[in-house]
Amino acid sequence: MDGTLLRGRSSFPYFALVAFEVGGALRLLFLLLASPLAGLLYYNISESAGIQVLVFATFCGMKVSDIESVAHAVLPKFYSADLHPESWRVFSSCGTRYVLTANPRIMVEGFLKEYLGADVVLGTEIATFRGRATGFLTSPGVLVGNNKALALQKAFCDTSPPDIGLGDRKTDFPFMKLCKESYVVPARPEVEAVTHDKLPKPVIFHDGRLVKKPTPLTALLILLWLPVGFILACMRIAAGALLPMPLVYHAFRALGVRVIIKGTPPPPAQNSPNQTGNLFICSHRTLLDPIFLSAALGRPIPAVTYSLSRLSEIISPIKTVRLSRDRVTDANMIKKLLQKGDLVLCPEGTTCREPFLLRFSALFAELTDELVPVAMSNRMSMFHGTTARGWKGMDPFYFFMNPSPAYEVTFLNKLPKELTCGTGQSSHVVANYIQRTIASTLSYECTNFTRRDKYRALAGNDGTVAR
């Protein structure tokens, strides 16, 4: 993988991702402290010994199920962003595809098979005891040098040798000699990674807290920033929770949170028996969408949510109401809230980090004709403010721990009466129209994926939250 299918020759960033996502900051610190020893062994004594140090520092004591979860939900996003275009062109043109790698098979197999169409993955096998990794390896150890050649011979013992072999370093030569044709992928010149639109399978759903691939320097900066960022996040959250909403926008700007407002928001709803409040239909990027919408409007707007941690409810500066997932109950509740004033709803039901919109639930279109589409987008440089596998109570903290996060709120035109259900339009037609309108504004792509699809892909459940 490293240096051949991927442009980068170092596997440290991917070990660092596993260390941070499973073991937190302390495990990442342990790996970072062990990395000089790993580098010394790798480049001066033994490639195998250096990798063993990384494996031990990363995996020792971890649950195997946690490692598999990170390999499935977190790593594919970073692997796919570093795919070598020439190696991929050759690899994808072949019928049966084998990958031999010194990386632990548990880390790479999911990505290689699901996203690149690999048929067989031969990698280093980690030792386990009672469902936990020991930090050691099973025989024959790290799959490097002659071990790769032996693994290839075993895999092809009953068939003719492979037609094409690709490698990037001298320790790949033993297995490359067994192939009919062999090619070395040069480290220079540097090439651009395969673009998102040319990937065999786009990574729509992914998890994990880190935005950038943690090289040793980036990992060090993350660890140094964490205590400072947490204090800054607490200050930002306190400002949003304690100050009057008209002041929140200015407080956020003073604390380094950029709020960009586009479009013309509608005036507040008038209390009238014949008129309901405006229903703001937002694309869903983080659980903070309704809060930044309220900050942009300068007044608190209640929000209905599918799932919210108790901590997030406590620190929220706006009223939040949980949906019960019962269609009749939820419809009656939303109608009552609209009779009192404006309301925020994210019909996707869950967040999506990539430039895609999930399918919009059509229920909202049946409840009112006062529909205001709002395109929400955000920018983070260090941490993601969402999670499918972790504790959602930390979502706002991670978002506000970014040095200078930004939220862009774009108010679109209120839906014309002739495009609402009140004039005979189907609720699905209305929902799809609003989805396309928001997607066009953000240059996103519409999909039919749902909340259930996301959680099945990332967490192995259907996304329901026990009350």
Side-chain angles (χ1 to χ4, degrees):
M1 284 192 68
D2 302 315
T4 304
L5 268 180
L6 305 181
R7 298 179 306 161
R9 295 170 60 89
S10 172
S11 58
F12 173 87
Y14 308 106
F15 283 102
L17 285 165
V18 177
F20 184 78
E21 298 300 338
V22 178
L26 291 179
R27 179 59 69 109
L28 179 59
L29 176 61
F30 180 47
L31 176 63
L32 193 61
L33 293 175
S35 61
L37 174 61
L40 180 66
L41 293 172
Y42 187 93
Y43 292 107
N44 297 288
I45 299 177
S46 165
E47 188 175 329
S48 175
I51 294 173
Q52 286 186 55
V53 171
L54 293 179
V55 170
F56 182 84
T58 302
F59 293 144
C60 183
M62 283 185 180
K63 289 183 179 180
V64 174
S65 59
D66 289 339
I67 301 172
E68 291 174 337
S69 178
V70 172
H72 182 72
V74 179
L75 297 185
K77 167 63 179 176
F78 294 92
Y79 281 139
S80 64
D82 199 35
L83 197 59
H84 195 294
E86 295 302 315
S87 299
W88 168 244
R89 180 176 58 83
V90 176
F91 186 72
S92 61
S93 67
C94 296
T96 305
R97 308 165 192 173
Y98 284 69
V99 176
L100 297 99
T101 175
N103 286 298
R105 180 184 57 81
I106 192 174
M107 281 176 55
V108 301
E109 186 173 39
F111 167 72
L112 289 170
K113 288 188 174 182
E114 183 176 352
Y115 290 92
L116 299 191
D119 296 283
V120 178
V121 178
L122 304 173
T124 300
E125 298 292 342
I126 63 173
T128 61
F129 179 73
R130 293 184 177 179
R132 290 184 179 270
T134 63
F136 300 104
L137 306 175
T138 61
S139 180
V142 178
L143 206 66
V144 68
N146 289 327
N147 286 342
K148 279 187 179 178
L150 292 173
L152 187 63
Q153 285 178 326
K154 184 178 179 180
F156 283 82
C157 61
D158 298 327
T159 60
S160 60
D163 296 299
I164 300 173
L166 299 179
D168 69 291
R169 62 197 76 190
K170 289 183 178 180
T171 52
D172 291 334
F173 291 172
F175 92 82
M176 294 170 69
K177 290 177 181 178
L178 302 175
C179 303
K180 296 176 182 178
E181 299 178 27
S182 298
Y183 301 93
V184 175
V185 179
R188 296 289 187 272
E190 293 186 357
V191 294
E192 294 294 326
V194 176
T195 56
H196 179 85
D197 59 310
K198 293 182 180 179
L199 290 173
K201 180 181 177 181
V203 181
I204 296 178
F205 300 124
H206 60 92
D207 206 21
R209 292 295 190 182
L210 299 183
V211 172
K212 294 182 178 180
K213 187 168 67 173
T215 61
L217 178 59
T218 303
L220 176 61
L221 293 176
I222 289 171
L223 291 172
L224 293 175
W225 176 257
L226 275 173
V228 179
F230 184 76
I231 295 173
L232 183 59
C234 291
M235 294 172 59
R236 290 166 170 172
I237 291 172
L242 301 177
L243 292 177
M245 192 56 69
L247 300 179
V248 169
Y249 171 85
H250 304 286
F252 278 168
R253 288 186 63 86
L255 292 170
V257 181
R258 292 167 292 162
V259 184
I260 304 165
I261 306 172
K262 296 182 178 180
T264 304
Q270 302 295 324
N271 291 327
S272 169
N274 300 323
Q275 182 180 2
T276 64
N278 296 307
L279 182 57
F280 292 96
I281 305 300
C282 298
S283 54
H284 203 6
R285 308 312 288 176
T286 74
L287 58 81
L288 299 172
D289 293 336
I291 296 173
F292 279 95
L293 175 72
S294 299
L297 291 171
R299 63 182 190 274
I301 308 295
V304 290
T305 64
Y306 283 88
S307 62
L308 199 66
S309 72
R310 182 60 180 159
L311 177 59
S312 298
E313 286 183 324
I314 293 173
I315 63 177
S316 174
I318 62 174
K319 179 182 178 181
T320 58
V321 182
R322 289 176 183 250
L323 293 173
S324 67
R325 298 186 181 277
D326 178 79
R327 188 176 181 86
V328 176
T329 303
D330 290 340
N332 291 332
M333 178 185 65
I334 293 173
K335 286 180 180 178
K336 290 180 181 178
L337 292 171
L338 286 171
Q339 289 173 355
K340 298 177 182 179
D342 296 339
L343 186 66
V344 184
L345 176 67
C346 299
E348 290 175 277
T350 188
T351 59
C352 182
R353 297 175 177 178
E354 294 301 303
F356 297 92
L357 291 185
L358 307 187
R359 190 176 71 195
F360 278 27
S361 169
L363 175 63
F364 71 88
E366 303 171 5
L367 306 179
T368 180
D369 293 340
E370 307 297 323
L371 301 173
V372 182
V374 183
M376 308 290 289
S377 62
N378 54 27
R379 292 189 291 275
M380 295 156 285
S381 59
M382 193 172 285
F383 303 106
H384 285 295
T386 60
T387 182
R389 299 164 40 259
W391 182 40
K392 294 183 180 296
M394 288 300 295
D395 285 358
F397 289 91
Y398 271 106
F399 177 84
F400 283 118
M401 281 167 62
N402 285 285
S404 183
Y407 240 98
E408 187 172 295
V409 184
T410 304
F411 293 95
L412 305 180
N413 293 329
K414 196 171 185 178
L415 209 64
K417 293 293 183 181
E418 59 269 19
L419 295 179
T420 64
C421 291
T423 56
Q425 296 287 349
S426 162
S427 61
H428 295 284
V429 171
V430 176
N432 291 339
Y433 174 81
I434 294 179
Q435 183 197 35
R436 290 194 303 271
T437 302
I438 295 177
S440 176
T441 301
L442 297 172
S443 297
Y444 285 5
E445 184 178 335
C446 295
T447 74
N448 281 321
F449 291 117
T450 64
R451 175 187 177 87
R452 180 173 296 179
D453 295 323
K454 171 186 170 179
Y455 277 84
R456 282 181 175 173
L458 299 182
N461 57 57
D462 62 1
T464 57
V465 179
R467 296 193 57 136

